[in-house]
Amino acid sequence: MRHRVGPRHARRPAPTLLRGIYVPRSMDAGAHAMTTFGIPLLVLATTHSAVLTGVAFALEWVPRLAAFALAGAMVDRYGASPVFRTASELRALTVVAAALALPYSDGVGATVTVMLLAASTGVLSEFSYIAAETAGGAASRAAGSRAHRVQSVLLGIDQVGTLAGPALAGLLLERYGATGMLTVIAGFSLLAGLLAPRQRDGRASGLPEPVMKGLRTGWSTMRSLPALCWLVVGLTLSNLAVGLLQAAAPVIVIQHMGRSSADVGMVWSVAAVATLIAVALWRRAIDRYGLWPVGAVAAAIAATTCLAVTLTHTYTTYLALIAVLMAAEGGMTVMLRTLRSHLIPASAFGSTLAVSALILLAPFPVAGVLIAVTPPALLVHVMTGCAVLQAVGLAVTFARLRSAPGLRTALA
């Protein structure tokens, strides 16, 4: 009888991963992408205000940053599956409530509804994402020598969500209104919660490390790694320019260019395709030419393209430039992932990753605030200023990185 145990267990991982990890992750990725790009569109369609669209973008990101460390602590305490299930189901309920309320809301009521929706979905999406990442990490460790295959599938799921989510949100909003778009988001969220794995999660013994202590550990570790510090600084300045373009996209495409909500979604879907292709090319280039040269080329392309975006007045050119910009950003992201995997000690990897992520994401709510306080006539000038800041920041960053201690091992 013992000889049957091995084959039976050998057949279990694939369906377990598909049902317990890949499918719920796919549903969550779809809901996450649709809320991130669709809620600002909904705010603009509801309020017709560029200012409130910027405020909504900030309201999506500020709670996410605040929830980042808390979500990790909750997952450590209660397990990935319960947190994922609860966050997904609460997001579904929140979106359904907004879909039911909006048809009967006017003026201030509608504005308050969409603003609360932006803030609440931002928090809940962060909880479900952190839980999904934790479950994916556990699945990778369980896969042993095939861990890279699990991670490649999860990365593909996220990219497909980013590809399809914005276009689907824009199309649904244009053809079926707010109710249609919100219903689909609720459906994805509900399916993610229902399909979450029911097994017990492995939890750390005792109470998790206090959030603030973990952040202090991560901060001190990152400060001890000059190469990582400089790259994070450069990418943070770059994220300010990218975040401003993302927050301003509904205003630029719909109000300035006279296009539709679906066209806004198409911009980011095309950018996702370009990024997906470019990441594979950047990895091959790094194998051949090294990390610093490829990162420097990606930075130069990103800075040049971002400046060009501020000068364009046609939709087709705008779409193409955004795609090139995000493809270049993908190259710098590959560099960041490679560098931190070489430099951050395993004992402090999680806390340092959390700190670096908080810093890198901080520009996004700032970008929303900039859109909210900038008069429409001055928006292009603010975008140009951020693009110049990005170019200067990346130039200084890569000049410093060339001789930064600790980089040589990552370049090998």
Side-chain angles (χ1 to χ4, degrees):
M1 293 298 291
R2 295 179 64 87
H3 68 279
R4 295 183 181 180
V5 174
R8 184 179 65 183
H9 280 274
R11 290 192 297 268
R12 286 182 60 186
T16 299
L17 286 172
L18 179 64
R19 164 64 178 80
I21 302 295
Y22 298 153
V23 174
R25 177 68 170 258
S26 299
M27 298 298 103
D28 183 66
H32 195 156
M34 288 185 70
T35 55
T36 299
F37 293 94
I39 299 301
L41 287 175
L42 176 60
V43 172
L44 184 62
T46 302
T47 66
H48 307 288
S49 169
V51 172
L52 292 178
T53 302
V55 172
F57 189 85
L59 283 176
E60 274 193 299
W61 280 102
V62 170
R64 287 185 181 189
L65 295 180
F68 189 86
L70 178 60
M74 294 290 286
V75 169
D76 286 341
R77 185 185 293 267
Y78 298 108
S81 293
V83 173
F84 180 84
R85 186 180 307 115
T86 301
S88 298
E89 292 173 353
L90 285 176
R91 183 174 55 199
L93 290 174
T94 301
V95 171
V96 168
L100 294 175
L102 276 176
Y104 304 98
S105 303
D106 258 335
V108 175
T111 300
V112 171
T113 298
V114 293
M115 291 300 179
L116 289 176
L117 180 65
S120 57
T121 54
V123 171
L124 294 171
S125 292
E126 193 63 47
F127 272 81
S128 66
Y129 176 75
I130 295 296
E133 282 288 287
T134 303
S140 296
R141 290 190 294 272
S145 61
R146 296 198 289 182
H148 63 286
R149 298 185 184 181
V150 176
Q151 285 299 320
S152 65
V153 173
L154 294 177
L155 179 60
I157 289 171
D158 289 342
Q159 288 296 322
V160 171
T162 304
L163 163 64
L168 181 58
L171 183 64
L172 289 169
L173 183 61
E174 182 181 359
R175 293 193 177 183
Y176 303 103
T179 301
M181 185 188 77
L182 294 176
T183 299
V184 173
I185 294 175
F188 279 138
S189 299
L190 184 60
L191 285 174
L194 291 176
L195 295 173
R198 296 295 191 259
Q199 78 269 17
R200 289 181 175 269
D201 294 282
R203 305 175 192 177
S205 58
L207 295 176
E209 184 182 50
V211 172
M212 293 309 299
K213 183 180 178 182
L215 293 179
R216 284 194 297 269
T217 300
W219 174 247
S220 62
T221 303
M222 193 173 75
R223 288 182 61 189
S224 69
L225 303 170
L228 182 62
C229 273
W230 277 111
L231 188 56
V232 168
V233 168
L235 290 182
T236 299
L237 294 175
S238 185
N239 280 349
L240 178 61
V242 172
L244 192 65
L245 289 176
Q246 185 175 323
V251 178
I252 293 173
V253 175
I254 296 174
Q255 293 189 347
H256 292 187
M257 296 181 177
R259 308 289 293 206
S260 67
S261 299
D263 291 324
V264 180
M266 184 58 64
V267 168
W268 300 110
S269 293
V270 171
V273 173
T275 304
L276 192 61
I277 297 171
V279 164
L281 298 178
W282 288 125
R283 286 173 179 168
R284 291 188 178 184
I286 289 171
D287 288 338
R288 183 169 183 177
Y289 300 107
L291 192 61
W292 188 91
V294 173
V297 169
I301 294 174
T304 304
T305 307
C306 194
L307 284 168
V309 169
T310 65
L311 303 175
T312 187
H313 301 288
T314 64
Y315 175 76
T316 302
T317 306
Y318 178 83
L319 182 148
L321 289 174
I322 291 293
V324 174
L325 171 63
M326 298 312 295
E329 288 285 323
M332 290 190 289
T333 301
V334 172
M335 182 179 184
L336 173 65
R337 288 176 177 271
T338 304
L339 193 61
R340 70 189 183 195
S341 67
H342 279 81
L343 299 182
I344 301 176
S347 59
F349 191 89
S351 57
T352 309
L353 177 61
V355 169
S356 64
L358 285 171
I359 296 172
L360 289 167
L361 293 177
F364 286 94
V366 174
V369 172
L370 284 175
I371 295 298
V373 302
T374 301
L378 299 179
L379 183 58
V380 172
H381 300 292
V382 174
M383 292 170 58
T384 303
C386 287
V388 171
L389 182 62
Q390 176 200 39
V392 173
L394 289 176
V396 173
T397 291
F398 278 86
R400 292 283 187 172
L401 278 175
R402 192 171 184 86
S403 58
L407 188 63
R408 184 169 299 179
T409 56
L411 291 173

